[in-house]
Amino acid sequence: MSGVITVSEPSWIAPFTGLSPRAFGKLVAVLRREGADAVRKGRPWSLPLEDRALLAAAYRRTNLTMRQLAPLFGVSKPAADRIIDHPGPRLALQPRKRSGKDTVLIVDGTLIPTRDHSVAEQSKNYRYPTSHQVVINADTRLVLVVGRPPPGNRNDSRACEESGTKAAVGTAMTIADGGHPGTGPVRPHRRRTGGELPDWKQAHNKSHKQARARVEHVFARMKNWKILRDCRPKGDGVHHAMLGITRMHNLALAG
């Protein structure tokens, strides 16, 4: 059974991965460097590494089911399932150990709805989401850290602690919204009941809001990978999906 979608036709790459052919080539190089193409025992892969990477990225980009993706790539449904699972941990973004002295970071949380209720809890925005705390570089908009996701009914302050994001940021200059009290980042000034903010605080809040909007733009771009709108993988699958899409987002942004 021959597939319709293949890397040998580069026009398929951008719509099914969200990456340019050059950035997709970097993704394949990362997978090869981390051993995704190593010889293994048993039946060999039915697709070369490039097409396997395309299938795995297409699954995250389109959120199609195995039954829909398999005939597009000319493989069986179980083979498509194995191909998608295999590069998951290798796609994961590796968190930065430290940031530069003058680097400004932005931290915020986003909810990812998942069908695995054992790792999620009901929240006001989605039925059963997990909460993902994300740290980006304020200048480059590259994602630096993604914390482990607690259930989605945690507020940002608690989620920042539980996910390990606060420890990963350390003492670096960090910006956050008003939902992160007591975690260390610079937050907007709050008006006291019956009072007004002085002009300098209003000006600071305006510049703070403009800077913090960059992380919202990052979330909007990442959710173009539609698996983050309705995540079907169970257990750590939602975390691996978020880390893999983060890496692809960074590759797309860097070109």
Side-chain angles (χ1 to χ4, degrees):
M1 181 169 59
S2 59
V4 176
I5 300 173
T6 174
V7 173
S8 60
E9 181 55 58
S11 61
W12 291 114
I13 294 175
F16 279 90
T17 68
L19 303 173
S20 67
R22 181 171 177 269
F24 180 75
K26 291 182 180 180
L27 180 67
V28 173
V30 166
L31 293 174
R32 182 169 282 115
R33 185 170 63 248
E34 297 188 6
D37 205 25
V39 177
R40 63 173 192 155
K41 294 181 180 180
R43 183 181 298 177
W45 292 109
S46 54
L47 296 175
L49 177 61
E50 291 79 5
D51 283 346
R52 299 202 308 271
L54 180 59
L55 195 161
Y59 170 66
R60 290 161 174 80
R61 183 71 172 180
T62 64
N63 206 22
L64 294 174
T65 65
M66 306 301 112
R67 194 179 302 277
Q68 293 167 322
L69 275 176
L72 294 177
F73 286 84
V75 296
S76 65
K77 178 178 173 292
D81 196 16
R82 289 192 297 271
I83 289 170
I84 287 168
D85 287 343
H86 184 253
R90 295 176 174 85
L91 275 175
L93 177 79
Q94 300 302 315
R96 295 287 179 89
K97 300 297 183 183
R98 62 178 64 181
S99 301
K101 180 180 178 181
D102 299 324
T103 302
V104 177
L105 308 178
I106 306 174
V107 61
D108 201 2
T110 187
L111 297 176
I112 305 299
T114 177
R115 300 190 187 186
D116 184 0
H117 294 183
S118 66
V119 298
E121 291 288 349
Q122 281 187 318
S123 86
K124 60 183 180 181
N125 292 332
Y126 297 101
R127 288 187 176 179
Y128 282 88
T130 51
S131 176
H132 296 254
Q133 295 290 311
V134 176
V135 180
I136 72 165
N137 183 307
D139 292 325
T140 64
R141 294 179 173 83
L142 295 175
V143 179
L144 306 182
V145 177
V146 178
R148 288 199 62 83
N153 62 347
R154 306 290 196 268
N155 59 42
D156 279 341
S157 182
R158 182 178 173 186
C160 194
E161 293 269 5
E162 293 183 3
S163 66
T165 307
K166 181 181 177 181
V169 168
T171 59
M173 177 64 176
T174 309
I175 297 173
D177 63 11
H180 289 77
T183 57
V186 177
R187 299 181 297 120
H189 301 283
R190 300 188 67 176
R191 181 177 60 84
R192 293 184 179 180
T193 304
E196 293 293 336
L197 289 176
D199 291 344
W200 71 270
K201 286 188 176 182
Q202 292 184 34
H204 179 269
N205 281 0
K206 181 179 179 180
S207 61
H208 182 282
K209 183 177 180 180
Q210 290 171 340
R212 205 189 61 78
R214 298 175 186 181
V215 73
E216 301 294 349
H217 299 161
V218 168
F219 290 151
R221 292 190 188 98
M222 289 175 65
K223 288 183 180 180
N224 285 329
W225 281 271
K226 294 184 179 178
I227 193 174
L228 297 186
R229 298 176 183 270
D230 180 22
C231 195
R232 292 190 299 270
K234 297 181 179 180
D236 282 342
V238 63
H239 186 48
H240 288 155
M242 186 70 171
L243 291 175
I245 288 167
T246 298
R247 173 164 267 174
M248 288 191 282
H249 163 270
N250 285 357
L251 285 172
L253 197 61

